[in-house]
Amino acid sequence: KQEVTQIPAALSVPEGENLVLNCSFTDSAIYNLQWFRQDPGKGLTSLLLIQSSQREQTSGRLNASLDKSSGRSTLYIAASQPGDSATYLCAVNSGGYQKVTFGTGTKLQVIP
Amino acid sequence: SAVISQKPSRDICQRGTSLTIQCQVDSQVTMMFWYRQQPGQSLTLIATANQGSEATYESGFVIDKFPISRPNLTFSTLTVSNMSPEDSSIYLCSVLRQENTEAFFGQGTRLTVV
């Protein structure tokens, strides 16, 4: 059974800092991995999708990497801004439409 | 990307009543997914809704408590029945883009049962 862990659970940084969020998973036989952002009480916004054959994906100030063999993904946020404050979730698709497992999230606060 | 409209966005309900949550997608999809996110926790899949067939429920979730309708390829409803305070959660619908299985979510329904 796939298990997804995110460390740290919470993170507080000053504005402008570069930061890394971590996601680890127990079964390396994955189809893809997706990073989401969730604002309080709201739905999930897709940030980046990495297919199993890819090593990284970039979108603006965000860069996500994937190392399947070690069961890890990182989300790098450059030059953080207060608007980046949210909970970040990673989700692992282990193949098949029902086999998406979510991590518990990292709650990020960027202080002006 | 898929655009998913979910409503209501939030509600406060009395225990023992039922709430129906609607999810509308801007394109036809084969499967729609309903998730629950309890306070401070991650997402748990409730059921998968296929058009033209009964929904498939995950362990711990039953049709009597969470009946689902899927009348066509762009719409689904989830009902939370006979609610108790333990049902207070965010409920989310989701679809997967067929080409690359990228997941998209509605805005969520924040339910509080008093």
Side-chain angles (χ1 to χ4, degrees):
Chain A
K1 179 188 168 187
Q2 180 75 270
E3 292 181 6
V4 182
T5 305
Q6 289 186 247
I7 295 173
L11 182 63
S12 183
V13 300
E15 181 177 2
E17 194 161 295
N18 302 325
L19 56 102
V20 175
L21 307 181
N22 297 292
C23 173
S24 61
F25 46 94
T26 54
D27 185 350
S28 62
I30 69 169
Y31 193 78
N32 61 43
L33 184 145
Q34 198 166 351
W35 282 93
F36 293 90
R37 169 192 172 127
Q38 185 177 30
D39 292 293
K42 302 291 186 181
L44 276 63
T45 301
S46 179
L47 298 174
L48 289 165
L49 172 73
I50 312 178
Q51 300 294 347
S52 64
S53 58
Q54 297 174 322
R55 298 279 300 186
E56 65 178 332
Q57 282 287 333
T58 299
S59 176
R61 294 183 294 109
L62 305 179
N63 175 277
S65 68
L66 175 64
D67 184 344
K68 268 198 327 177
S69 60
S70 67
R72 282 198 261 180
S73 176
T74 61
L75 178 67
Y76 175 82
I77 303 176
S80 58
Q81 303 171 357
D84 295 330
S85 298
T87 296
Y88 290 81
L89 293 159
C90 72
V92 175
N93 186 328
S94 302
Y97 286 98
Q98 283 118 298
K99 295 182 181 176
V100 178
T101 306
F102 284 83
T104 48
T106 294
K107 187 172 183 178
L108 172 65
Q109 183 182 25
V110 181
I111 302 166
Chain B
S1 65
V3 176
I4 304 173
S5 298
Q6 186 176 338
K7 57 182 181 181
S9 58
R10 61 194 310 153
D11 208 341
I12 301 173
C13 300
Q14 296 289 325
R15 68 176 68 203
T17 63
S18 298
L19 175 72
T20 296
I21 302 167
Q22 299 179 6
C23 185
Q24 177 79 50
V25 189
D26 68 343
S27 58
Q28 294 185 341
V29 293
T30 306
M31 288 184 280
M32 295 176 72
F33 305 89
W34 287 98
Y35 287 86
R36 180 176 74 181
Q37 186 180 30
Q38 293 177 300
Q41 302 203 16
S42 192
L43 279 71
T44 301
L45 181 65
I46 297 171
T48 303
N50 297 318
Q51 194 269 334
S53 64
E54 292 284 328
T56 303
Y57 289 83
E58 297 300 302
S59 175
F61 298 96
V62 295
I63 188 171
D64 289 346
K65 176 67 177 176
F66 298 101
I68 287 171
S69 78
R70 184 77 203 275
N72 57 54
L73 290 172
T74 62
F75 187 79
S76 178
T77 67
L78 170 76
T79 298
V80 186
S81 302
N82 189 24
M83 288 183 285
S84 66
E86 292 70 36
D87 294 319
S88 298
S89 297
I90 298 173
Y91 292 84
L92 300 117
C93 67
S94 174
V95 302
L96 291 177
R97 182 198 247 172
Q98 211 151 359
E99 306 88 72
N100 61 359
T101 65
E102 183 175 7
F104 296 95
F105 284 81
Q107 306 95 314
T109 297
R110 189 172 195 170
L111 171 63
T112 302
V113 183
V114 298

